[in-house]
């Protein structure tokens, strides 16, 4: 009964649009006070939740994404992709997916991707005759590549909670992210056939060569970051620091960054990092309360009573993440749920890296679904359209993302092959 009242209080606060961190923190503290328990141990656990060395990579990856945004990297990627694919029917749709793939190597956040690219990509689509709904849908869905393709902030959070190798999880996410790209491109192909009036952009070798020169150095960032991590030269934290420094040098070299821009960049980084860490702390407190009420053990008994098969377990996890992703922030869900699911996965012989990929991809779909749907609200704000319009545009693109997740569950090698090849 106590746990039920706690969950009702949390859901009520979320329904009132209270920030996730405070929706967790308030009921958690209320429970401890009503139980007459000392706050000493819980507060130490909350502090320890953010002192994990793995999480040190989070502010550095956030800084990398903020600097890339300010340095105008999205514009350069867009110009190159447009020069390459603009002549193809529906080219701007493929360009949107491709630019999100390129930008994902420098930003581990779907929200940052959507905010930066929507302003660059949607206006040209409208001028070329694409429907606004199509533009909103493809940009929003493509933004979900960022938190799956490494470097990925959710992957860092999962690795810290599950005590697994961040590098291995990064490697495991590469092929699933490319699978997402293929699925989204397939939907673009089908949808543009219904828009006969869209205009194409002529191809020019000189334009392609000029745009190509402008992206050579920015595309060196993923080589430095991923190559360093997967090659064993850097830890993820070190790679994030090197990548942020590299991107900052490019920004100054391109004269898109100035010394006076640095305070704003650092403030954006601090605010984003603080929001993430506050969610991590509050979710850790709620996790302590749930552990005290033996919720993990009850859930484990329930799941093991339903199935002893790892594949069925992953399907249940996917369903759970799809539901939780619609109402709770992805970071909070990972901090809260990973410690509960890991023992069950271990008992069923499920690879924790595979579990991480399935959880992250399933949760990211929630960014496109109300009522939380952070990407929906970002696009609604930047394009001045109702959230419902963004969601309707995104619906066709959610289908391939769900299918990608199912394919990974039934063909685990999609996620586990690359880490095995790299010896991670």
């Amino acid at each position: 009964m106590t746990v039920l009242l706690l969950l009702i209080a949390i859901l009520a606060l979320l329904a009132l649009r209270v920030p996730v961190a405070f929706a967790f923190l308030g009921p958690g503290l209320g429970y401890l006070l009503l139980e007459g328990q000392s706050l000493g141990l819980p507060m130490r656990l909350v502090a320890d939740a953010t002192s994990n060395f793995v999480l040190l990579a989070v502010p550095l990856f956030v800084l990398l994404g903020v600097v890339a945004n300010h340095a105008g990297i999205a514009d350069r990627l867009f110009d190159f992709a447009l020069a390459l694919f603009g002549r193809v029917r529906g080219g701007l749709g493929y360009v949107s997916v491709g630019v999100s793939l390129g930008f994902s190597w420098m930003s581990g956040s779907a929200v940052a991707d959507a905010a930066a690219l929507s302003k660059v990509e949607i206006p040209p689509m409208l001028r070329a005759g694409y429907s606004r709904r199509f533009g909103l849908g493809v940009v929003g869905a493509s933004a979900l590549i960022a938190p799956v393709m490494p470097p990925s902030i959710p992957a860092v959070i999962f690795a810290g909670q599950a005590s697994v190798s961040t590098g291995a999880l990064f490697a495991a996410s590469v092929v699933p992210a490319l699978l997402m790209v293929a699925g989204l491109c397939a939907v673009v192909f089908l949808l543009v056939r219904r828009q006969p009036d869209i205009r194409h952009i002529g191809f020019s070798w000189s334009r392609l060569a000029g745009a190509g020169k402008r992206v050579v150095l920015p595309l060196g960032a993923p080589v430095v970051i991923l190559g360093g991590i997967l090659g064993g030269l850097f830890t993820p934290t070190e790679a994030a620091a090197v990548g942020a420094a590299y991107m900052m040098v490019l920004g100054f070299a391109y004269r898109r960054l100035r010394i006076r821009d640095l305070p704003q960049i650092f403030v954006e980084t601090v605010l984003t990092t603080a929001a993430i860490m506050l969610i991590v702390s509050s979710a850790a407190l709620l996790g302590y309360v749930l552990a005290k009420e033996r919720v993990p053990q009850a859930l484990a008994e329930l799941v093991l009573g339903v199935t002893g098969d790892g594949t069925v377990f992953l399907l249940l996890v996917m369903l759970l993440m799809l539901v939780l992703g619609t109402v709770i922030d992805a970071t909070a869900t990972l901090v809260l749920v990973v410690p509960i699911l890991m023992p069950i996965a271990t008992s069923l012989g499920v690879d924790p890296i595979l579990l991480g990929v399935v959880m992250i991809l399933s949760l990211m779909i929630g960014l496109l679904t109300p009522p939380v749907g952070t990407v929906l609200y970002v696009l609604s704000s930047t394009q001045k359209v109702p959230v419902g319009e963004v969601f309707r545009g995104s619906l066709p693109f959610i289908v391939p993302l769900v299918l990608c997740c199912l394919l990974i569950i039934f063909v685990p090698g999609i996620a586990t092959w690359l880490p095995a090849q790299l010896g991670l």
Side-chain angles (χ1 to χ4, degrees):
M1 179 61 72
T2 303
V3 173
L4 181 60
L5 292 175
L6 183 71
L7 295 178
I8 290 174
I10 292 171
L11 291 175
L13 291 172
L14 291 173
L16 293 172
R17 307 292 298 171
V18 174
V20 173
F22 298 107
F24 283 3
L25 196 60
L29 288 174
Y31 168 89
L32 295 175
L33 292 174
L34 289 175
E35 291 289 312
Q37 182 173 334
S38 168
L39 298 181
L41 176 60
M43 291 304 101
R44 283 200 299 275
L45 293 174
V46 167
D48 290 343
T50 57
S51 62
N52 190 325
F53 177 76
V54 174
L55 295 183
L56 185 59
V58 171
L60 294 171
F61 280 127
V62 172
L63 176 61
L64 173 61
V66 172
V67 172
N69 195 0
H70 280 264
I73 302 303
D75 296 322
R76 291 171 175 264
L77 291 172
F78 179 76
D79 289 342
F80 175 69
L82 190 61
L84 190 61
F85 297 112
R87 61 176 176 173
V88 179
R89 177 171 179 77
L92 284 175
Y94 301 117
V95 165
S96 179
V97 178
V99 172
S100 289
L101 174 63
F103 200 65
S104 71
W105 289 325
M106 297 159 241
S107 164
S109 166
V111 173
D113 191 305
L117 299 182
S118 61
K119 299 174 184 178
V120 176
E121 297 172 347
I122 292 181
M125 287 189 192
L126 297 179
R127 290 195 296 269
Y130 293 79
S131 70
R132 181 179 297 275
R133 188 172 293 183
F134 172 85
L136 293 167
V138 70
V139 171
S142 299
L144 303 192
I145 299 169
V148 178
M149 175 67 79
S152 160
I153 292 175
V156 173
I157 300 293
F158 180 92
Q161 296 299 311
S163 299
V164 298
S165 166
T166 307
L169 188 53
F170 277 4
S173 302
V174 171
V175 178
L178 295 177
L179 191 63
M180 292 171 64
V181 170
L184 293 177
C185 286
V187 175
V188 169
F189 174 79
L190 293 175
L191 292 182
V192 295
R193 297 172 66 185
R194 303 178 184 176
Q195 301 185 49
D197 297 330
I198 56 178
R199 294 186 293 277
H200 310 292
I201 297 172
F203 179 79
S204 166
W205 282 108
S206 60
R207 182 182 179 187
L208 178 61
K213 291 177 183 177
R214 297 179 72 236
V215 298
V216 170
L217 291 178
L219 290 180
V223 175
V224 172
I225 297 169
L226 298 185
I229 294 173
L230 302 181
L233 299 177
F234 307 132
T235 65
T237 302
E238 293 166 344
V242 171
Y246 177 83
M247 196 57 61
M248 198 167 290
V249 169
L250 287 185
F252 283 115
Y254 293 148
R255 298 184 180 180
R256 293 294 298 265
L257 290 182
R258 299 178 178 84
I259 296 297
R260 66 172 180 264
D261 296 326
L262 293 181
Q264 181 184 353
I265 288 173
F266 292 141
V267 167
E268 285 184 38
T269 301
V270 169
L271 291 176
T272 303
T273 303
I276 293 173
M277 293 306 175
L278 186 58
I279 291 173
V280 170
S281 298
S282 60
L285 175 63
L286 184 58
Y288 169 80
V289 172
L290 295 178
K292 192 171 183 298
E293 290 291 326
R294 297 185 58 81
V295 170
Q297 292 86 342
L299 183 60
E301 291 173 3
L302 176 63
V303 172
L304 294 175
V306 171
T307 181
D309 182 77
T311 300
V312 176
F313 167 71
L314 287 174
L315 289 171
L316 293 175
V317 169
M318 174 185 166
L319 181 61
L320 177 63
M321 294 303 102
L322 288 173
V323 173
L324 291 179
T326 64
V327 293
I328 304 178
D329 179 84
T331 299
T333 302
L334 289 171
V335 176
L336 192 62
V337 176
V338 170
I340 297 175
L341 295 181
M342 275 298 294
I344 306 174
T346 302
S347 67
L348 293 176
V350 174
D351 189 330
I353 298 298
L354 176 62
L355 175 66
V357 173
V358 171
M359 287 187 68
I360 291 169
L361 178 52
S362 302
L363 276 173
M364 291 311 106
I365 296 173
L367 296 175
L368 281 180
T369 52
V372 175
T374 314
V375 169
L376 297 180
Y377 289 97
V378 168
L379 292 176
S380 172
S381 175
T382 60
Q383 299 302 308
K384 311 300 182 187
V385 296
V387 172
E389 181 75 5
V390 185
F391 178 59
R392 284 188 288 273
S394 302
L395 273 175
F397 295 95
I398 292 177
V399 175
L401 299 178
V402 173
L403 292 177
C404 284
C405 201
L406 289 171
L407 189 58
I408 292 166
I409 290 174
F410 287 105
V411 188
I414 293 173
T416 59
W417 174 79
L418 187 56
Q421 296 300 309
L422 296 173
L424 297 173

